[in-house]
Amino acid sequence: MPLFSKSHKNPAEIVKVLKENMAILEKQDKKTDKASEEVSKSLQAMKEILCGTTDKEPPTEIVAQLAQELYNSGLLVTLIANLQLIDFEGKKDVSQIFNNILRRQIGTRSPTVEYISAHPHILFMLLKGYESPNIALRCGIMLRECIRHEPLAKIILFSEQFRDFFKYVEMSTFDIASDAFATFKDLLTRHKLLVAEFLEQNYDVIFEDYEKLLHSENYVTKRQSLKLLGELILDRHNFAIMTKYISKPENLKLMMNLLRDKSPNIQFEAFHVFKVFVASPNKTQPIVEILLKNQPKLIEFLSNFQKERTDDEQFTDEKNYLIKQIRDLKKPTA
């Protein structure tokens, strides 16, 4: 097959052959076996150009030519749109090619980030990939690579599709739900100032959806969501969000209920959110009233709370501090 490998060293030729064979796969006619084979070969050739081989780096001008061909031909979009038609190894190759080309920089520019910013439906195709079990994890890998770049993270955060995450993290397939949660967490923690702006602008909608996760029947979802909530409200960039969250009595009541959850791990994560309500020097009146109403019960409960954590000095210190704060609360004088 010398002719095949020779022609495949030319980026324009690889892209042309790959595009033609992807079109055959899309039609799903009798020639798909042969086309599938050609797609695999083309993807491998493309990967070799981008990643080089063990003994030599990929030539910059060939990589640039390949990237340009991928943009101009629309092949990048075709590969994502029809990922489920590609065989298992080919799917892996597509995600490697995509992530490699996404990291490519020319000076301070990231050409693929610019390309995807101009074609945002690529991001939403990747996100929707969570609905297809045979491509969900591959789409997750590519989506997280996109989120590393603030302009792409911003497009997802401020889109209507962002709320689809609340559905995906609750999916019945454990691997897919966990992967979706990893992407969701990345999106809410990687670009601090951007996320703070997003949460402030969309507080009511987002936290209404988030509360449903804290009531989830799924133990893993519930625990991960609580842990992430603690991380978000304790981040100094989210001070305005924290202030708003801990001013609401219904949020305090929810944490007090979760402190009594049957799972010690859920209780522990709830403790880290609960402590923010108690430790705040600027408690709202409704919060003070709930704490006062439950003062004796809370002191007794916290005194016996997770006593087995004897080796966790920080936890013990925080617990003692909260008990003191609750004990020192006074009814406001009329």
Side-chain angles (χ1 to χ4, degrees):
M1 298 283 287
L3 186 68
F4 181 85
S5 56
K6 187 181 175 199
S7 67
H8 269 54
K9 283 181 181 159
N10 174 335
E13 186 61 31
I14 295 175
V15 168
K16 181 171 174 288
V17 170
L18 187 44
K19 193 152 181 166
E20 285 167 0
N21 285 287
M22 283 303 296
I24 295 168
L25 286 189
E26 281 179 69
K27 283 184 196 148
Q28 288 289 291
D29 61 18
K30 292 174 189 157
K31 300 176 191 165
T32 52
D33 286 352
K34 175 78 177 129
S36 189
E37 210 177 295
E38 292 292 338
V39 165
S40 295
K41 286 178 184 172
S42 299
L43 287 169
Q44 282 167 5
M46 197 178 277
K47 198 169 78 171
E48 198 170 301
I49 286 179
L50 289 171
C51 306
T53 53
T54 43
D55 51 352
K56 67 173 195 284
E57 283 282 301
T60 315
E61 66 280 6
I62 302 287
V63 171
Q65 196 186 336
L66 178 59
Q68 210 51 54
E69 291 287 344
L70 276 170
Y71 309 147
N72 294 348
S73 65
L75 183 60
L76 206 58
V77 176
T78 304
L79 290 171
I80 303 298
N82 297 290
L83 194 59
Q84 68 276 15
L85 302 178
I86 301 170
D87 66 21
F88 180 77
E89 284 301 319
K91 286 185 183 73
K92 275 168 65 176
D93 288 342
V94 169
S95 60
Q96 280 182 280
I97 289 163
F98 183 89
N99 285 1
N100 186 294
I101 209 157
L102 193 54
R103 292 183 200 124
R104 182 173 161 263
Q105 284 191 288
I106 303 172
T108 56
R109 282 185 55 227
S110 298
T112 309
V113 173
E114 291 168 16
Y115 177 78
I116 296 172
S117 295
H119 301 83
H121 62 292
I122 292 174
L123 296 169
F124 304 128
M125 284 195 291
L126 289 173
L127 183 56
K128 203 166 173 56
Y130 279 124
E131 295 173 22
S132 307
N134 66 337
I135 61 167
L137 302 183
R138 285 286 138 206
C139 287
I141 288 168
M142 291 185 270
L143 204 48
R144 282 189 294 282
E145 191 63 42
C146 290
I147 287 165
R148 290 164 67 99
H149 303 274
E150 194 168 327
L152 303 185
K154 185 173 186 175
I155 290 170
I156 301 170
L157 275 174
F158 286 90
S159 70
E160 284 179 21
Q161 289 91 328
F162 171 78
R163 293 180 72 190
D164 290 341
F165 273 109
F166 293 99
K167 178 175 66 179
Y168 299 148
V169 301
E170 287 267 53
M171 288 184 94
S172 55
T173 310
F174 176 77
D175 286 359
I176 298 175
S178 296
D179 195 276
F181 199 93
T183 309
F184 179 62
K185 183 183 177 183
D186 237 20
L187 199 50
L188 288 175
T189 53
R190 186 172 280 277
H191 307 285
K192 307 287 192 187
L193 292 172
L194 174 68
V195 169
E197 180 196 345
F198 164 71
L199 290 175
E200 282 178 53
Q201 284 183 27
N202 299 278
Y203 179 90
D204 292 333
V205 174
I206 296 305
F207 279 90
E208 190 180 313
D209 283 340
Y210 206 100
E211 192 179 328
K212 291 169 193 160
L213 297 183
L214 301 177
H215 284 104
S216 175
E217 293 296 310
N218 182 321
Y219 161 76
V220 177
T221 302
K222 195 173 182 176
R223 186 186 175 191
Q224 287 179 321
S225 302
L226 255 177
K227 194 171 185 144
L228 177 57
L229 176 64
E231 199 176 317
L232 287 172
I233 65 171
L234 286 167
D235 190 307
R236 61 186 180 82
H237 295 89
N238 298 329
F239 183 77
I241 306 303
M242 181 267 283
T243 306
K244 196 164 186 176
Y245 189 83
I246 65 166
S247 72
K248 306 244 186 288
E250 60 272 24
N251 295 336
L252 174 57
K253 286 175 189 169
L254 174 58
M255 287 310 134
M256 285 165 68
N257 284 329
L258 289 170
L259 282 172
R260 299 199 309 271
D261 192 272
K262 60 181 186 291
S263 157
N265 290 324
I266 301 268
Q267 294 171 8
F268 186 66
E269 298 304 343
F271 174 83
H272 287 299
V273 179
F274 173 74
K275 72 185 181 191
V276 188
F277 288 90
V278 180
S280 168
N282 303 309
K283 298 176 192 63
T284 59
Q285 196 52 42
I287 297 296
V288 173
E289 282 167 13
I290 291 171
L291 294 173
L292 278 170
K293 188 180 169 188
N294 295 278
Q295 196 175 37
K297 284 183 191 166
L298 278 170
I299 291 168
E300 187 188 352
F301 176 81
L302 288 170
S303 301
N304 297 301
F305 183 68
Q306 299 208 353
K307 276 187 161 176
E308 67 281 3
R309 285 188 186 269
T310 47
D311 55 345
D312 189 339
E313 282 184 35
Q314 187 182 342
F315 170 69
T316 307
D317 289 348
E318 286 179 351
K319 202 170 70 156
N320 291 336
Y321 176 74
L322 295 192
I323 291 168
K324 183 181 183 312
Q325 289 293 307
I326 293 167
R327 190 177 279 133
D328 290 350
L329 275 177
K330 301 277 187 293
K331 285 188 170 64
T333 48

